[in-house]
Amino acid sequence: MSFKSTLARHQSMIEGLFTLEPQVTALIERIKQCLDNGNKVFFFGNGGSASDAQHLAAEFVVRYHKERRAYAAIALTTDTSILTAHGNDYSFDSIFDRQIEALSKSGDIAIGLSTSGNSANVISGIKTAQKYDVWTCAFTGEDGGQLKHIADDCIRVPSTETARVQEGHILIGHWLCEALDEDSPAIS
């Protein structure tokens, strides 16, 4: 595959994101309300999606491009002791559940990233979050998988190619950070 071919597939995915504007605009409004109410946002996923979850939580807490207050966000993919203990004692399929049970409260938001929409542990995490009155959103690929029927909202990047889907997820995530920055008073 040529570099030009990859860029063309990336560009096609980007052009498809325009249709998601109403959905991501509604998501940022929900996130702003959540954070303004003193709640937090959880991010979680597997592999590259785990890295994206960590990346986005860091941007919320530290900053994106503007000096502003820290936003409460947690990547459920970072505590190796919790992850390995749970995987050993229970199951990898429920690896995010106990963290959600321990850390969540009504009014929080849980965002599960799964390119296929069928990751068992992301599905389980979304279901567990809903048990605790946590609003849920899935970031998936075009099909949405099982998550499109389970999460309260499902943002489906218009691609079936894993790399393009992950590029779409991080672009949407960066826009969420940018929108939060624009809405926040600067601090010095």
Side-chain angles (χ1 to χ4, degrees):
M1 237 174 257
S2 71
F3 182 64
K4 189 175 185 177
S5 167
T6 298
L7 290 177
R9 293 190 320 279
H10 175 83
Q11 184 175 16
S12 175
M13 178 277 297
I14 295 290
E15 289 170 2
L17 292 179
F18 285 100
T19 63
L20 300 178
E21 184 178 17
Q23 201 173 9
V24 296
T25 299
L27 175 59
I28 192 59
E29 291 307 316
R30 186 176 288 274
I31 289 172
K32 287 176 185 177
Q33 182 179 19
C34 165
L35 297 171
D36 287 346
N37 289 339
N39 290 89
K40 62 196 152 308
V41 180
F42 299 101
F43 293 97
F44 55 101
N46 297 291
S49 296
S51 296
D52 290 344
Q54 292 168 212
H55 179 152
L56 295 174
E59 302 282 21
F60 272 50
V61 172
V62 180
R63 70 179 179 134
Y64 185 62
H65 64 78
K66 176 181 172 182
E67 294 298 328
R68 45 98 176 132
R69 74 179 177 97
Y71 290 118
I74 300 171
L76 301 180
T77 56
T78 59
D79 191 322
T80 55
S81 296
I82 290 172
L83 296 172
T84 57
H86 186 91
N88 183 65
D89 293 354
Y90 297 99
S91 166
F92 189 76
D93 286 353
S94 59
I95 206 159
F96 304 120
D97 296 12
R98 295 289 277 191
Q99 292 182 81
I100 292 168
E101 180 183 342
L103 302 171
S104 72
K105 64 180 182 176
S106 179
D108 290 343
I109 293 175
I111 298 177
L113 292 82
S114 170
T115 58
S116 69
N118 293 315
S119 300
N121 55 16
V122 175
I123 291 168
S124 187
I126 291 290
K127 288 179 177 179
T128 298
Q130 291 170 332
K131 288 179 191 175
Y132 291 93
D133 197 30
V134 171
W135 187 85
T136 61
C137 183
F139 284 16
T140 70
E142 188 169 51
D143 176 68
Q146 295 174 56
L147 282 169
K148 74 179 170 195
H149 303 294
I150 297 167
D152 295 310
D153 194 14
C154 184
I155 296 177
R156 298 184 295 164
V157 170
S159 178
T160 57
E161 187 179 353
T162 298
R164 304 297 78 84
V165 172
Q166 289 175 333
E167 290 165 3
H169 289 173
I170 206 64
L171 183 67
I172 292 165
H174 277 166
W175 178 80
L176 295 172
C177 295
E178 188 174 314
L180 285 173
D181 274 12
E182 287 177 7
D183 197 49
S184 298
I187 59 172
S188 51

